Amino acid sequence: MMETPVLETPTAIDQVLKRLSRPTLTGILQVQQGIVRATHEFMFKKGLTQVMPLMLSPITDPLNHGVVDASIPYADKRWSLTKSMIFHKQLALLNPALESLYIVSPNVRLEFADRAETGRHLFEFTQIDFEFKNKDRFYVMEFMEDLVNFVFARLNVELPEQLLQLRGELLPQYEKWPVHRTEKLEAALGPDYEMLQSKLSDSPFWLLNHKREFYDKEDQMKPGTYLNYDLIWPEGFGEGLSGAERENEYKQILKRMTETGTNKEIFKDYLEVAKKGVLPRTAGAGFGVERMTRFICKVKDIDDVTVFQRKPGHASMF
Ligand code: AMP
Ligand code: MG
């Protein structure tokens, strides 16, 4: 009688080894490296000063959605792992000689497992975060449009073979990006307006006026609207950057903290600084490096952009 061969089911270790050996990874990483390299050059040309990232602080971005707590005790305090460096950008720009800055900033956001299949969420990622003193939203939006064209042109010159292999064509240069407003798109397309418009678009576009964290400036001419903007990647890739003009006046910060249910006790030292009236007027933004890589390489799941698995809710081995 013939013996039926026993097929070994791959162990978890085998799966990790397969993931580490996947053939497309090197090209994707080279593109990602190219994004960071070109971004550094663009920032330098535009005069922004680089600040090194921090991973721990008594305050971090409260975000406008829940995540699992990532804080640790140290020196009689609780320190949060960085969710974004929004407050550090604002505080660093207190220095009268510093006009603008950027940070290649690791962010830990322990997203709930229901974000595992969005294709856009990791539980840690890198954000390129930048901020300008005395500039407005129009300046930052144009800056980002120029940055994208600069990075894309660089990648076409430096990595044409990788781009052709991964996305089947070189990267485009965009004209001025279309601008939409959340309330108008929602009225036209319903609650899933952001993703629907992303699927309908073949160019990145801006989405203005999101109701979210207290630090995005409220329009004093039109209370209840906000001077913020998101870059939405086209072809269903969704959000790639969020930014805003920032609240810097004490009373308005307090009002917005109350409205958003922010814990004022955690922010007491930040509020002391705001009370002194020394927070500068700033505007800025941050874009996800892995999300830009995903869009450029046309990768369905952002988790395939990273070497090690960082899928929300998944117990990664390494
Ligand atoms: P936010 O200010 O919260 O919008 O974060 C800034 C940018 O970081 C977003 O526009 C995304 O590009 C990126 N980002 C935010 N959360 C995640 C995540 N969980 N995984 C990967 N990238 C993210
Ligand atoms: Mg956002």
Side-chain angles (χ1 to χ4, degrees):
M1 224 173 79
M2 287 255 291
E3 257 184 56
T4 40
V6 182
L7 287 177
E8 273 192 50
T9 49
T11 64
I13 289 271
D14 291 334
Q15 280 168 7
V16 171
L17 295 180
K18 192 170 164 215
R19 178 190 172 89
L20 289 173
S21 315
R22 63 200 194 273
T24 51
L25 183 62
T26 311
I28 292 171
L29 294 177
Q30 286 167 348
V31 168
Q32 185 161 260
Q33 181 187 15
I35 293 171
V36 177
R37 184 169 60 240
T39 299
H40 277 302
E41 191 179 332
F42 186 80
M43 296 293 186
F44 179 67
K45 273 182 201 279
K46 296 281 181 180
L48 286 81
T49 301
Q50 186 179 10
V51 172
M52 288 299 141
L54 296 177
M55 282 308 293
L56 289 168
S57 172
I59 60 166
T60 190
D61 196 328
L63 304 179
N64 66 348
H65 66 282
V67 290
V68 176
D69 177 57
S71 63
I72 56 168
Y74 176 67
D76 297 329
K77 271 188 160 180
R78 279 210 86 78
W79 300 71
S80 264
L81 272 75
T82 296
K83 293 183 187 133
S84 90
M85 287 185 62
I86 174 63
F87 304 114
H88 298 83
K89 292 195 298 181
Q90 223 183 357
L91 291 162
L93 288 173
L94 270 168
N95 185 311
L98 200 54
E99 288 303 317
S100 56
L101 59 83
Y102 77 103
I103 314 163
V104 180
S105 173
N107 287 187
V108 175
R109 300 185 185 178
L110 303 180
E111 310 277 4
F112 293 120
D114 64 357
R115 295 201 160 188
E117 302 310 325
T118 63
R120 292 194 309 280
H121 291 92
L122 299 164
F123 63 77
E124 64 171 321
F125 62 95
T126 299
Q127 178 178 176
I128 297 186
D129 218 349
F130 53 99
E131 196 82 12
F132 304 90
K133 200 147 62 187
N134 297 320
K135 300 285 190 213
D136 62 13
R137 57 199 180 282
F138 306 109
Y139 182 91
V140 181
M141 287 158 68
E142 198 176 317
F143 179 91
M144 188 62 193
E145 292 180 18
D146 291 347
L147 183 147
V148 166
N149 275 347
F150 182 87
V151 170
F152 282 20
R154 262 305 152 83
L155 293 177
N156 283 344
V157 171
E158 292 177 351
L159 299 163
E161 277 167 33
Q162 288 85 337
L163 292 174
L164 290 175
Q165 205 161 37
L166 290 160
R167 71 192 317 277
E169 58 187 349
L170 294 183
L171 288 157
Q173 288 288 293
Y174 299 110
E175 299 291 322
K176 204 106 198 79
W177 301 358
V179 178
H180 298 280
R181 294 188 64 86
T182 52
E183 69 276 17
K184 290 198 177 145
L185 266 195
E186 188 170 14
L189 300 175
D192 200 21
Y193 59 93
E194 182 174 312
M195 189 43 70
L196 286 172
Q197 187 61 42
S198 172
K199 286 180 180 158
L200 289 170
S201 301
D202 57 9
S203 152
F205 61 90
W206 292 109
L207 195 48
L208 310 186
N209 186 30
H210 305 257
K211 191 168 174 59
R212 57 188 181 205
E213 298 91 342
F214 72 84
Y215 53 76
D216 283 4
K217 200 185 249 322
E218 184 174 20
D219 189 346
Q220 291 308 298
M221 313 301 280
K222 279 193 228 150
T225 64
Y226 302 90
L227 303 179
N228 55 25
Y229 36 85
D230 278 9
L231 173 186
I232 311 297
W233 292 118
E235 299 159 31
F237 283 92
E239 186 204 316
L241 161 148
S242 289
E245 294 180 22
R246 313 300 182 184
E247 295 290 7
N248 63 329
E249 287 165 21
Y250 177 66
K251 276 197 180 147
Q252 179 67 14
I253 292 175
L254 276 183
K255 175 189 157 228
R256 297 280 297 122
M257 279 184 159
T258 304
E259 283 172 7
T260 51
T262 308
N263 182 338
K264 297 190 183 92
E265 183 53 28
I266 290 177
F267 284 96
K268 67 179 186 334
D269 294 333
Y270 173 79
L271 283 168
E272 272 303 300
V273 176
K275 199 173 184 177
K276 286 181 186 290
V278 294
L279 283 181
R281 220 173 67 85
T282 72
F287 65 89
V289 174
E290 295 84 353
R291 286 200 188 174
M292 191 186 280
T293 310
R294 172 182 178 240
F295 170 66
I296 290 174
C297 299
K298 292 188 189 282
V299 176
K300 196 161 172 280
D301 185 350
I302 195 168
D303 199 44
D304 291 332
V305 165
T306 62
V307 180
F308 300 98
Q309 188 170 51
R310 286 296 180 269
K311 210 182 234 314
H314 284 243
S316 182
M317 201 173 282
F318 299 110

